[in-house]
Amino acid sequence: MADDARNYSDPERALAVGRRRRRTMLAAPALAVAVAVVAVGTWVTLRPSIPTGTPGNQATEVTTAASSPVPTLSPPPTAPALPPGAVGRASFAYAGCRSGCPGLAVVGDRQFIIPGQERNPGSSAMLLSLSPDGRWLGYPAGDGYVVRDLTGTRTMAFPPSETGWRTAAWVWSADSNRLLVGDFREGNDNTYTLVDVLTGSRTPAVMPAARTPLALTNEGKIVSRARDQQSEPVRVLMLTVSAIGDATGRSVTIDASAILAENESLFPGSVFVDPDAGGYLLGVGTADGISTGVLRVAADGRVVERVVDVPRDNREFWNVLGVGGDRLLLSRQTNGTGRRATTVVAVTGKALRDLVALPHESIVAVPGASAR
């Protein structure tokens, strides 16, 4: 988990990675058992039941649109290295597996190998990041980090502040003008820098001790929460976040107890700035890390609605990838016999639309977010 977790101080991310790896190891024998059990008329699942939401507070039932075949994308046998000049805006970046696969930037119908992926490519792919407009690509370079303009020649390097530390992109503003970069190592002593990518200026970020950054507003305010101290996952019904622009910050408490189903929990690590309403989008799911939907939260912390409930299928695992442009983007990992894939899914209104199918267990960085 330590190799795959972008931030050692973010236990939700590390635990989620671990659960996905365990599901992968169990998938093949589980499917074989399922086939045998179905033969005698009984269905066995290896996942806990998923709550359906509190009556009256559920999102409209959603179905995946099936208007046209979903394009399937796989790493090519050979791909060119990402050249230093302009190539165009990327639609996303990904690695085709969780260990040993290089990161690839997808630009139109072309794929380019991202520099530096020869060094432990599986875990390095977890550090890939794209700006919301697809113009800026971030990737690790040794223990440092590089952010480069895919539409020009500008490149910004961020070396670690101390030996033994690593540097990575944390969060982007929705207008793609600002980026929060952080130094991290095992422990709770991360440091952060606010970057204006248009001018290249760098400012030490004001981040109170024992807080974790979640999102970044267009004005450069860092949305953060208190860092968890629990060693085990717990059910979260209320979450206090702060939007910090200077030495002070405004805190709001999100109370979702009236809208969450029994055993359903907020996901503190899945908080995104809502580009349409000025508030937040917040992932929810079971206390053991299975995504069940997304809430829309006003800037004052009031829960407005359930934006979407993901379909209930014991052969699928859903994850909130981020907000790309004005669309909420999810991923769906399918473990069913004959169809194992990771599909990027867009949320439009209450409808889900498959965008592209990638190899199973792919690590995906959509515009506006780091790889998940």
Side-chain angles (χ1 to χ4, degrees), residues 141-266:
D143 289 336
Y145 204 74
V146 169
V147 177
R148 59 156 293 184
D149 182 1
L150 296 176
T151 65
T153 58
R154 285 188 57 199
T155 299
M156 294 177 286
F158 299 90
S161 58
E162 297 183 34
T163 302
W165 290 48
R166 297 196 71 181
T167 308
W170 238 251
V171 287
W172 287 90
S173 61
D175 60 8
S176 300
N177 292 339
R178 290 180 173 86
L179 168 66
L180 185 68
V181 172
D183 282 336
F184 64 94
R185 66 176 180 178
E186 189 171 3
N188 297 329
D189 46 8
N190 300 8
T191 61
Y192 303 96
T193 301
L194 188 61
V195 182
D196 185 321
V197 295
L198 297 181
T199 66
S201 65
R202 309 178 187 192
T203 306
V206 178
M207 176 63 60
R211 295 196 69 82
T212 296
L214 300 172
L216 185 63
T217 68
N218 288 342
E219 298 74 29
K221 294 183 178 180
I222 303 168
V223 181
S224 67
R225 66 174 176 86
R227 186 174 296 134
D228 286 339
Q229 302 300 321
Q230 300 92 348
S231 58
E232 296 294 333
V234 297
R235 188 184 183 203
V236 179
L237 298 178
M238 300 176 66
L239 176 65
T240 299
V241 299
S242 298
I244 302 168
D246 45 37
T248 62
R250 179 182 177 220
S251 296
V252 297
T253 298
I254 302 167
D255 184 353
S257 56
I259 201 170
L260 296 182
E262 184 179 358
N263 296 326
E264 200 173 27
S265 172
L266 296 176

Side-chain angles (χ1 to χ4, degrees), residues 30-45 315 337:
L31 289 172
V33 170
V35 171
V37 172
V38 168
V40 295
T42 306
W43 180 257
V44 176
T45 69
R315 295 165 298 178
T337 304

